[in-house]
Amino acid sequence: MTDTTLAELEQRATARRDRPSYGHDALIACDRLVRIFTTDGVEVQALQGLDLLVKEGELMALVGASGSGKSTLMNILAGLDVPTAGAAKVAGCDLLSMDAKARLRYRRDVVGFVWQQTARNLLPYLTAAQNVALPMQLRGGTKRKAKAERAEALLSMLDIADCRDRRPHQMSGGQQQRVAIAVALANNPSVLLADEPTGELDSATGEQVFAAFRRANEELGTTIVIVTHDQAVASEVRRTVAIRDGRTSSEVLRRTEVDAEGQESLVAREYAMLDRAGRLQLPADYTETLGMEHRVMLELEPDHIGVWPDDAARGDDPKDEG
Ligand SMILES: Nc1ncnc2c1ncn2[C@@H]1O[C@H](COP(=O)(O)OP(=O)(O)OP(=O)(O)O)[C@@H](O)[C@H]1O
């Protein structure tokens, strides 16, 4: 090996080291996350190298068919489960290497969680205000008066101040879920995670609950990730990420556009995910329409990459046809 080559190698290594790490500016960064469950000697790969970045202050939705891995991911982000491989960081906390004490602190201070089952979120023998004060009590260090004031402020912000002295069975499902959001926000977490929070509610009540998430996001700046089957929720957030077979497969981004008459409208665009190895999952309806299977032809153009069905067998060049 010559000196020049060595110097070049060193230079390349330094450049690589200086490159910002994957997801360095994201609040949630999942990098090739794998979770394998083994039951009775049978392995299920619930997550198969999932990549996901969420910026601070985002309000986004996760969608996907049953069994695609959504709850597995949420349990990992909530600090309730540990991935088999890969890397996951939330607000600077490394979810793979946390010890028991750090995990407890993470679950208490960094993330808040709202479950689908209204009954699972609240203690039945405490009032709404007492439920909201409980996480602050468990953390300690907050004066009684300050705890009561914060509980009051959160309940007012979410439009349920009138439920303050009611126990869960004296509230509607939608009110209980909004109290659950207040409980999850009590210790001012960086991230609020919700797994099907409107799943047990009718659509009008679901809308009120979603409005409460939006308010928390706008007024407190809390980053919010909602797993949902609810089309109304999925179509109201700026970003919806779809999970398929334990990987993120596509994203819909929505933005407000103003036309020449000054009319505002929400424009949605679907994107496929390109993983760090360069793999791209093409939507099944696209590949089926063009009969693409096994192998496709690629062409690099100045501003895009062309993908054609494999016509090698026919011996003609599909790009010459028009
Ligand atoms: N504790 C477990 N032990 C064994 N297998 C599990 C466990 N938890 C999840 N799985 C499997 O992992 C896969 C992903 O499950 P997960 O619950 O994450 O999917 P999901 O997208 O949340 O589905 P749903 O929308 O029905 O809740 C499924 O095949 C499931 O059977």
Side-chain angles (χ1 to χ4, degrees), residues 37-39 44-46 64-73 195-196 227 229:
F37 293 109
T38 311
T39 1
V44 179
Q45 275 216 32
S66 180
S68 56
K70 305 179 299 291
S71 299
T72 304
L73 172 65
D195 199 351
E196 293 285 359
V227 164
H229 277 109

Side-chain angles (χ1 to χ4, degrees), residues 96-174:
L96 275 91
S97 67
M98 282 192 294
D99 61 16
K101 203 170 153 200
R103 195 163 286 279
L104 197 69
R105 195 197 72 81
Y106 174 80
R107 292 212 296 258
R108 210 183 43 205
D109 299 342
V110 182
V111 284
F113 211 98
V114 178
W115 303 94
Q116 172 174 0
Q117 300 85 356
T118 44
R120 192 174 170 184
N121 291 312
L122 304 173
L123 287 176
Y125 48 85
L126 295 183
T127 64
Q130 288 166 337
N131 265 290
V132 181
L134 189 62
M136 296 184 258
Q137 234 153 332
L138 293 174
R139 183 172 65 174
T142 312
K143 294 228 164 66
R144 197 189 180 88
K145 188 158 170 268
K147 281 195 288 251
E149 279 170 7
R150 175 148 179 88
E152 192 83 37
L154 286 170
L155 293 173
S156 301
M157 184 186 85
L158 303 178
D159 269 345
I160 35 168
D162 53 335
C163 295
R164 198 183 73 203
D165 299 322
R166 292 194 220 163
R167 294 197 164 75
H169 74 274
Q170 297 165 318
M171 293 184 255
S172 70

